DNA sequence: CCGGTTACAAGTCAAGTGTATTGTAAAACC
DNA sequence: GGTTTTACAATACACTTGACTTGTAACCGG
């Protein structure tokens, strides 16, 4: 056979091409042929690495989630140890919003994925689990911060968690350039500052 | 010619069918033939009312925006006159979230539309204008409430406006059943209560 | 060195897409 | 009452799509 090839590597390269296509042409534009062209491979080769379009999309999504987690982890590494929960939340939120090219690609992938998941039970389960996981992580953070006295004890951890997650609602505003990235960051800072403020 | 037909009425009927299709099968599933089937008309008839698929989608979106505005107006009519800004915001937010079938259909239409708009300059301009309009309306409300002393004067109207709009970020959480409708409403109430609370 | 496996290339296929064309019945209008 | 419009039906067209099949060169393992 020809030189043995690292499948994972190839798949990731194709996933990157897929991101680029989705970023530039949208989810429906991500046809097998278009992704192959963007990746600089033939349709046959692409099909050698992904048995179906669905398999390709699923892989690309999981890989995007990994990369986002990596970006967050890298951001957290730059903080004091242990980091202040406010800083943690700030970084998590900032990485989930389309504020730089990498995050934008992930964000668009995610949006398309969620939209698709609404009508596909399998994807729905998968996407639901992912989001629930994320929510659980944030909730843990909030509860810890309350226990540490960093957040006023009157705050309901469930509601505060949901409100934090809702801040990803900046995404469409940013994408359509209704608000500037600085405005989104300022709003997040303002919100977190109030959340972590001392009670009266 | 056969009995003269109310074009607007026909178009709206088709738009309703389109919503149903988008709601159940997603944006890409909204093919001319599928919408025609859902509307109970022939492909030829549908083409008689919409010159192209793009025209159909545009009409359906504008109509959805009108209907959402109607729902909000109906909600506002049930309030004291003049209504308290908090109540106004509560109703606006509640109608923008997928909390009941009508709002859900509009919400999904809107999500798909925004996603599509990212790669279509014409749609982008249109969607951007719509969102900017909405933002301006909310901002006016906030500034008024500050002027009336209902919101603490330290609050920055710009940031507060953005934060209000960000609360539409509950949408994916609701759609994927990560949180319950009551939780979203509770969070919104909590948030608005704090926004309108007296300063210390 | 050779059978078997891997890595692709290229072509084929059926299904589905939006759009354009053509035909026709019916009612409005002068 | 003839003519012109309107409202549709039906079909055809040119493409694109994901999937599948077949062919073939390359290399490893025995």
């Amino acid at each position: 056979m020809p030189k043995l090839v690292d499948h994972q590597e190839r798949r990731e390269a194709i996933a990157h091409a897929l991101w680029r296509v989705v970023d530039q042409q949208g989810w429906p534009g991500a046809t097998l042929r278009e992704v192959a062209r963007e990746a600089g491979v033939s349709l046959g080769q692409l099909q050698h690495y992904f048995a179906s379009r669905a398999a390709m999309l699923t892989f690309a999504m999981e890989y995007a989630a990994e990369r986002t987690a990596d970006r967050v982890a890298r951001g957290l590494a730059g903080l004091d140890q242990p980091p202040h929960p406010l800083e943690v939340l700030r970084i998590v939120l900032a990485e989930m919003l389309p504020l730089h090219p990498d995050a934008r690609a992930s964000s668009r992938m995610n949006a398309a994925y969620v939209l698709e998941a609404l009508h596909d039970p399998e994807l729905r389960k998968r996407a639901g689990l992912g989001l629930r996981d994320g929510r659980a992580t944030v909730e843990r953070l909030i509860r810890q911060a309350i226990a540490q006295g960093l957040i006023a004890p009157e705050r309901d951890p469930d509601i505060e968690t949901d409100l934090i997650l809702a801040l990803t609602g900046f995404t469409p505003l940013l994408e359509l350039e209704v608000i500037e990235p600085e405005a989104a960051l300022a709003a997040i800072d303002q919100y977190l500052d109030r959340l972590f403020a001392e009670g009266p």
Side-chain angles (χ1 to χ4, degrees), chain A:
Chain A
M1 47 191 163
K3 62 183 172 207
L4 242 325
V5 157
D6 182 341
H7 267 234
Q8 184 65 17
E9 189 185 67
R10 292 289 212 190
R11 284 163 163 253
E12 292 181 0
I14 293 175
H16 279 109
L18 172 60
W19 295 353
R20 267 173 275 144
V21 173
V22 169
D23 188 56
Q24 294 161 20
Q25 314 187 35
W27 186 263
T31 73
L32 295 181
R33 287 169 178 82
E34 188 58 35
V35 173
R37 189 175 316 132
E38 175 71 32
V41 304
S42 73
L43 173 60
Q45 189 172 354
L46 193 153
Q47 290 189 309
H48 182 66
Y49 290 103
F50 294 106
S52 71
R53 184 178 126 103
M56 176 180 76
L57 299 177
T58 301
F59 178 87
M61 267 309 301
E62 288 175 355
Y63 184 48
E66 282 176 34
R67 298 274 293 196
T68 301
D70 282 358
R71 286 203 315 273
V72 170
R74 250 194 305 279
L76 295 182
L79 299 178
D80 310 333
Q81 299 301 331
H84 192 287
L86 185 148
E87 303 289 341
V88 175
L89 287 176
R90 193 221 300 278
I91 285 185
V92 169
L93 283 171
E95 285 301 337
M96 300 195 66
L97 293 176
L99 295 174
H100 54 85
D102 242 39
R104 198 185 73 171
S106 296
S107 168
R108 292 189 176 186
M109 279 287 302
N110 198 67
Y113 187 70
V114 167
L115 223 55
E116 184 110 333
L118 299 183
H119 316 95
D120 180 324
E122 174 59 30
L123 289 190
R124 196 187 180 89
K125 207 175 54 185
R126 200 185 290 271
L129 278 179
L131 252 184
R132 258 174 271 269
D133 259 26
R135 211 206 92 101
T137 303
V138 172
E139 186 176 350
R140 223 172 299 123
L141 249 151
I142 299 282
R143 288 189 185 276
Q144 234 176 312
I146 294 178
Q148 294 176 318
L150 297 171
I151 296 178
E154 308 90 70
R155 302 265 185 161
D156 180 299
D158 258 303
I159 289 182
E160 299 306 331
T161 300
D162 292 340
L163 283 172
I164 291 281
L165 293 179
L167 293 183
T168 56
F170 283 123
T171 300
L173 299 174
L174 288 166
E175 288 275 22
L176 292 177
E177 292 167 312
V178 173
I179 66 173
E180 299 295 311
E182 304 81 49
L185 290 173
I188 288 176
D189 280 339
Q190 178 75 236
Y191 183 83
L192 292 178
D193 282 350
R194 279 206 293 268
L195 176 59
F196 283 86
E198 310 293 318

